Amino acid sequence: MAEDLLKIEGTRAEKYTSLYPQIQSLLAGETDKYANLANIAAAVHEVFGFFWVGFYLTKENQLVLGPFQGPVACTRIPFHKGVCGHAYTTKETVLVPDVEAFPGHIACASASKSEIVLPAIVKGEVVLVFDLDSDQLADFSEVDQQGLEKIIRLIEESWTSWA
Ligand code: SME
């Protein structure tokens, strides 16, 4: 299974196109949300090699660290703090080309230079945010936004059937 992921090649847009059906297969037949989110984080991390790829779930009135790949990270983020909090409160994808220039950015790791955070919204509520960090400035673009938003739609559609 992991060996197939390694075969994904091409431009970044092509990689997202090849990755999507593989993520669909990874999720098929599994209803545990942590298992599925863990495999999504692992697949995206493996294919693109981003510095940090993971989820913060809405829980106990804050964002709490979920499955991820990369260095250890902050465990709890208030709804109004950081890039993740901004994605939570605005319910929109946040693209940050330079984290130093984003007021209130939470630096879990100094190597992180740019970031994209996407909220997953179910029945009008943000259930989680998908956070990706890169050690390169301005590493994320609309290509990533589109590719990752497709994965977010999959999570949103599946969410209520996951335990
Ligand atoms: N930088 C994020 C915090 C999470 S870590 O990047 C993994 C933020 O500002 O919300």
Side-chain angles (χ1 to χ4, degrees):
M1 190 190 291
E3 286 162 19
D4 291 338
L5 282 172
L6 288 175
K7 286 183 200 135
I8 291 180
E9 282 163 3
T11 63
R12 204 176 274 192
E14 286 164 350
K15 285 183 175 177
Y16 280 110
T17 304
S18 307
L19 177 60
Y20 184 75
Q22 296 211 34
I23 288 186
Q24 283 181 306
S25 332
L26 281 171
L27 305 186
E30 178 54 65
T31 56
D32 185 274
K33 68 164 77 96
Y34 287 95
N36 286 332
L37 295 175
N39 264 342
I40 293 171
V44 172
H45 186 261
E46 178 162 338
V47 169
F48 297 101
F50 297 132
F51 179 71
W52 197 92
V53 177
F55 295 93
Y56 282 90
L57 283 78
T58 303
K59 205 186 274 187
E60 298 157 11
N61 224 23
Q62 57 198 322
L63 295 167
V64 181
L65 183 63
F68 72 96
Q69 293 276 315
V72 294
C74 330
T75 53
R76 291 169 188 267
I77 300 176
F79 287 148
H80 58 285
K81 289 265 170 80
V83 186
C84 290
H86 196 62
Y88 177 88
T89 50
T90 59
K91 296 186 175 173
E92 305 222 331
T93 296
V94 187
L95 249 171
V96 183
D98 178 358
V99 295
E100 305 257 329
F102 187 93
H105 165 257
I106 301 164
C108 293
S110 57
S112 174
K113 300 276 187 275
S114 58
E115 183 164 5
I116 183 170
V117 182
L118 308 97
I121 300 162
V122 178
K123 296 178 187 158
E125 301 293 328
V126 177
V127 294
L128 60 76
V129 298
F130 191 15
D131 181 16
L132 297 95
D133 287 50
S134 170
D135 56 7
Q136 310 289 315
L137 277 169
D139 199 11
F140 301 105
S141 72
E142 287 71 22
V143 168
D144 301 280
Q145 181 167 351
Q146 281 167 20
L148 296 167
E149 281 180 351
K150 261 189 98 177
I151 297 171
I152 286 287
R153 298 291 91 77
L154 202 53
I155 294 170
E156 290 172 342
E157 285 158 19
S158 314
W159 191 256
T160 49
S161 64
W162 290 352

